[in-house]
Amino acid sequence: MKIDVLTLFPEMIDQALSYSIPNRAQEKGHASVKAHQLRHWAIDKHGNVDDTPYGGGPGMILRVDVADAALEAVDHGHTAHRVMLSPDGDQFDQKMAEEFSKKEALVFLCGRYEGFDARIEEYVDQKVSIGPYVLSGGELPTLVIIDSILRLIPGVLGNVASLAEETFETDLTEYPQYTRPNIYKGKGIPDILLTGHHAEIAKWRLSKRRSASNR
Ligand code: SAM
C-alpha cells in the first residue's frame, strides 16, 4: 500500500509512524508512507499556501490551487483514494479502516488554521472526520487513520488471532484480560482463567464480551 500525506508538518507524520507496528509495517514493505511538505507547492517564494477568506472572517484558508497542484503531483491521474480531513466529514470507524486497508493507494490532505477552500472537495474522494470535536490540524486524524489501517494489512501483525478478537472486529468488544501478578493490592483474577480448561475459558470470555455498538 502506498500512502501520501500532504501537510504543513511532515515531521509529525514521520515521527509518529517511526515506532512499533506502523514502523514494522513500513520496514517489512507492507506499506510505504511519505509525508510531503505542502509549502513545496506554495504560490510564491515566501511559501504561502493559504489566504484570507472571501467575505471576511477570522483565520486563513488553504488555497484550492495549492491543494490541486499537490494532489496532482503525488497522485498523477488520480488513481489513489483521496481523503481530506475535516470535522464535518464522514465519521471514521473500524468499517472504514477495513475498507481503507484494502486500497492500493491513499492520499491524505491535512488542513490547518480555518480549514479548506470549499472547492478543494472537488479534488478529493471523501471528507473524513475522526470525531465530533475540532483539532488544530489534520495530522493527528491522519495518524489515527493510518495507524488503524496499517495493523489490518495481512502480515503486519505477528499474531493474526489478536486481530480476530479485537473490539469492533465483530459487533463485540474484546473480553477482559489479565496478566501477572495473580493478586495485586488484594484483588485477584477470575478463577476460571487458572483452571486450564480451554473450552470453559472460551465460554467465559464470550460471556464477558459486550455489544460494541451499544456501549
Ligand atoms: N474551521 C473549521 C471548522 O469549523 O470546521 C475547523 C478547522 S480545524 C481548526 C483545522 C483542520 O484540522 C481542519 O481543516 C481539518 O483538516 C483538521 N481537523 C480538525 N478537527 C478534525 C476532526 N475532528 N476530524 C478530522 N480532521 C479534523
Side-chain angles (χ1 to χ4, degrees):
M1 172 186 285
K2 179 174 177 286
I3 300 177
D4 290 290
V5 182
L6 297 167
T7 166
L8 288 170
F9 302 100
E11 318 77 37
M12 277 181 79
I13 306 294
D14 293 340
Q15 259 289 322
L17 296 177
S18 65
Y19 302 98
S20 182
I21 291 167
N23 183 50
R24 203 187 318 150
Q26 295 174 83
E27 292 217 316
K28 282 167 110 185
H30 294 290
S32 101
V33 185
K34 194 157 174 29
H36 308 265
Q37 172 54 262
L38 261 174
R39 293 198 196 284
H40 185 72
W41 295 279
I43 50 148
D44 55 25
K45 63 177 183 342
H46 306 295
N48 282 316
V49 295
D50 51 10
D51 214 326
T52 52
Y54 277 120
M60 299 294 277
I61 308 292
L62 183 67
R63 293 174 58 118
V64 62
D65 48 357
V66 171
D68 182 26
L71 286 164
E72 187 51 27
V74 301
D75 177 33
H76 181 64
H78 195 159
T79 54
H81 187 67
R82 296 178 176 183
V83 174
M84 75 192 247
L85 286 307
S86 181
D88 70 343
D90 300 333
Q91 173 73 56
F92 185 68
D93 59 12
Q94 190 68 14
K95 188 163 164 281
M96 202 187 288
E98 274 157 25
E99 283 164 20
F100 283 2
S101 73
K102 296 184 181 104
K103 305 271 186 207
E104 294 263 307
L106 288 157
V107 180
F108 293 95
L109 177 61
C110 304
R112 273 274 156 180
Y113 317 118
E114 276 308 305
F116 303 100
D117 182 310
R119 292 169 291 183
I120 293 176
E121 287 186 38
E122 290 170 33
Y123 298 89
V124 300
D125 300 300
Q126 196 171 7
K127 255 196 325 182
V128 175
S129 166
I130 62 157
Y133 39 79
V134 178
L135 298 161
S136 311
E139 290 76 15
L140 290 175
T142 296
L143 286 166
V144 166
I145 295 172
I146 292 177
D147 186 296
S148 69
I149 63 184
L150 290 185
R151 54 189 286 109
L152 293 173
I153 297 175
V156 168
L157 288 190
N159 182 358
V160 274
S162 63
L163 254 191
E165 287 177 339
E166 258 177 347
T167 305
F168 305 122
E169 275 305 311
T170 58
D171 184 44
L172 296 174
T173 60
E174 195 174 50
Y175 46 79
Q177 307 220 60
Y178 302 87
T179 187
R180 288 165 192 80
N182 182 338
I183 297 174
Y184 183 66
K185 292 190 175 171
K187 196 157 168 55
I189 65 167
D191 291 338
I192 181 78
L193 298 177
L194 298 172
T195 61
H197 291 150
H198 296 300
E200 289 303 311
I201 291 172
K203 225 192 283 174
W204 177 85
R205 283 179 166 167
L206 186 59
S207 76
K208 292 292 172 191
R209 299 180 74 179
R210 294 171 294 124
S211 166
S213 41
N214 298 321
R215 280 160 303 127

